[in-house]
Amino acid sequence: MSTVVLLSSDLLLQSQVTSKASATGAEMPVASTATMKAIVESRRPHAIAIDLASVGDVAQVVADCKTVAPEGCLIWAFGPHVGVARLSAAREAGCDWVTSRGDFLQRISERLVELEFRSS
């Protein structure tokens, strides 16, 4: 079973994404920037998904995720399609998958299944 930590403060998004994760058999604990380190260290996820609308300095948050993430952990970032600067900042910070929020919601189930195959 794969684990993806969702870094988001959006309750509606959390509900949508965690239900999709459950349907694929993945675990998706939710974290804030304040709790991310403890959750990542305890859960040792296969990926961290960052809601760019829920974080401040994108480059710093990505760097913090990379610092605490276990080896091989993917960093995903998503945000509003109109947030071009934040999406670009996530790409520049080295995220493995950067996409719009709509695309993320459409493709998260597929990505979770791919992650399961990758981690097994």
Side-chain angles (χ1 to χ4, degrees):
M1 177 185 324
S2 57
T3 301
V4 176
V5 171
L6 175 62
L7 186 57
S8 178
S9 61
D10 183 326
L11 297 177
L12 179 59
L13 175 84
Q14 291 173 16
S15 175
Q16 291 173 312
V17 177
T18 57
S19 69
K20 289 181 182 209
S22 282
T24 66
E27 290 184 334
M28 188 169 283
V30 177
S32 66
T33 52
T35 62
M36 183 268 302
K37 181 179 179 185
I39 291 173
V40 168
E41 287 176 345
S42 69
R43 294 295 188 88
R44 311 233 357 113
H46 299 95
I48 301 170
I50 305 167
D51 175 5
L52 297 174
S54 294
V55 299
D57 182 342
V58 173
Q60 184 61 56
V61 170
V62 173
D64 291 346
C65 288
K66 287 182 175 188
T67 298
V68 298
E71 188 173 330
C73 181
L74 300 174
I75 307 295
W76 299 340
F78 62 94
H81 70 278
V82 296
V84 177
R86 294 180 77 66
L87 293 167
S88 292
R91 278 187 200 91
E92 290 172 16
C95 289
D96 299 292
W97 179 36
V98 178
T99 191
S100 69
R101 178 183 168 130
D103 186 55
F104 180 81
L105 289 170
Q106 275 189 315
R107 297 183 56 205
I108 187 61
S109 296
E110 170 189 329
R111 286 290 178 142
L112 291 169
V113 169
E114 289 172 2
L115 190 60
E116 182 64 30
F117 283 116
R118 181 179 174 264
S119 63
S120 54

